[in-house]
Amino acid sequence: MLTCPFFETGTRTFRRNPIRPDRQPLPAQSVTYAWCEHPKHSPIDKEDATDRFINGAFVLKCEGDPERCQLTPEEYSDM
């Protein structure tokens, strides 16, 4: 399987506070987010992905597969 050279992922970990002081802390939650590093036509760049990573996960439908890229072939090759 080919991997798109523009597809990148990152992970962000959140520590969650207990609801009341007498409870044990909740385990940390890790979330993986993805962005596109295409120089001109990125559907979501790294800044947007890290600021709104939950929505960003739904923006890139390709998951790194060039066959499922949201960009047109003209946009993909336009650097």
Side-chain angles (χ1 to χ4, degrees), residues 4-72:
C4 180
F6 304 118
F7 182 78
E8 296 291 334
T9 61
T11 303
R12 191 166 178 186
T13 302
F14 295 93
R15 303 227 183 274
R16 299 186 288 173
N17 294 328
I19 297 170
R20 294 188 312 253
D22 61 332
R23 287 192 176 179
Q24 293 291 325
L26 297 170
Q29 179 182 11
S30 293
V31 178
T32 301
Y33 55 93
W35 69 92
C36 176
E37 289 195 340
H38 192 281
K40 289 186 179 178
H41 304 289
S42 173
I44 184 165
D45 60 16
K46 184 176 183 179
E47 183 179 338
D48 287 341
T50 54
D51 288 345
R52 300 185 310 256
F53 63 91
I54 293 173
N55 293 331
F58 300 106
V59 172
L60 289 178
K61 309 285 187 214
C62 66
E63 298 177 357
D65 183 1
E67 297 294 320
R68 296 176 25 191
C69 184
Q70 294 169 234
L71 302 177
T72 65

